[in-house]
Amino acid sequence: MPTTPPTRIARFTLTERVLHWEVVVAFAVMLATGLILYFPSLSGLMSRPAAKGVHLWAAIALGVGFTLVAVLGNRRAVLRSAREVQYLDADDMAWLKAGPAAQMGRVSPAPQGRFNAGQKLNTAMLSGGMVLMYVTGFLLWYGERHTEWRFEGSVPVHDLFTLFLVLLVTGHVYLAVIHPHTRAAMRGMVTGEVDREFAEHHHATWVAQHDAEEARR
Ligand code: HEM
Ligand code: HEM
């Protein structure tokens, strides 16, 4: 008897979702406390030493929490996602050439794998930006204790990449929460599953691969 495929399709494991929301919470805390340190007008919200303490502890908590969940959770899923998001292939070139209407999901884009080129570039820029925040943040902290590690560029680079990340994350959140053609992705980051129709429209190659894997099981 032919069976109708389920209306939802699994997209993110619990491990991947916990990792993502850990980053979101820590990012929000580091941004808020960073802004308190930057703008004297916000200093009434929290004392400078307290803001600095929370800023640094959020950075440590994310480093430790991220490593623990990535290592002790579903490592295979994390490594698979990391592989899938890393390289640009022919589908991604077609996506990049397709123009804004296709990229924003208004018309059918070229068939895509699990992540499209926009998501791959977004991941590269967000991860690279976060690494730079950690490197410059560490230098700021360590430079206070060892003056030979105090560099003129650490503060401007830390500030510039704050702006870069804020702009990038604003676009990312707009697509995840507001844009009518892409906001269905939010279900995947909350419950782990997305609507099959949405997945077929945006990630047709991935859905075909997913179904073939399920059929082999
Ligand atoms: C998303 C991540 C982060 C954001 C948005 C952020 C933002 C900021 C901002 C806006 C400032 C104020 C700089 C100024 O006064 O010009 C700051 C200061 C600082 N940040 Fe970050 N930061 C982040 C991550 C980190 C990390 C990971 C570390 C440590 C490893 C760190 C360590 C510091 C230190 C030590 C200061 C100097 C505090 C002071 O004024 O004495 N930050 N951060
Ligand atoms: C409230 C804030 C945020 C919301 C609502 C949000 C939402 C989402 C959603 C729904 C996805 C899944 C997209 C898909 O189906 O592939 C996603 C993926 C992702 N998120 Fe976020 N996110 C937020 C903040 C952040 C922050 C702060 C970072 C890192 C600094 C981040 C990094 C990523 C990355 C790397 C991916 C995978 C690639 C991509 O889809 O662009 N997110 N996010």
Side-chain angles (χ1 to χ4, degrees), residues 13 15-16 19 67-83:
T13 59
T15 303
E16 291 161 295
L19 287 176
T67 310
L68 279 181
V69 174
V71 173
L72 301 178
N74 187 341
R75 233 183 354 234
R76 264 182 71 187
V78 175
L79 289 174
R80 184 176 177 166
S81 288
R83 269 197 308 273

Side-chain angles (χ1 to χ4, degrees), residues 165-185:
L165 287 173
V166 166
L167 293 176
L168 215 55
V169 169
T170 305
H172 178 66
V173 175
Y174 167 76
L175 290 174
V177 180
I178 298 171
H179 190 66
H181 295 282
T182 51
R183 65 183 178 213

Side-chain angles (χ1 to χ4, degrees), residues 22 26 30 54-68 134:
E22 270 183 4
M30 290 191 279
V54 175
H55 194 75
L56 289 171
W57 277 110
I60 294 167
L62 178 59
V64 173
F66 196 93
T67 310
L68 279 181
Y134 268 84

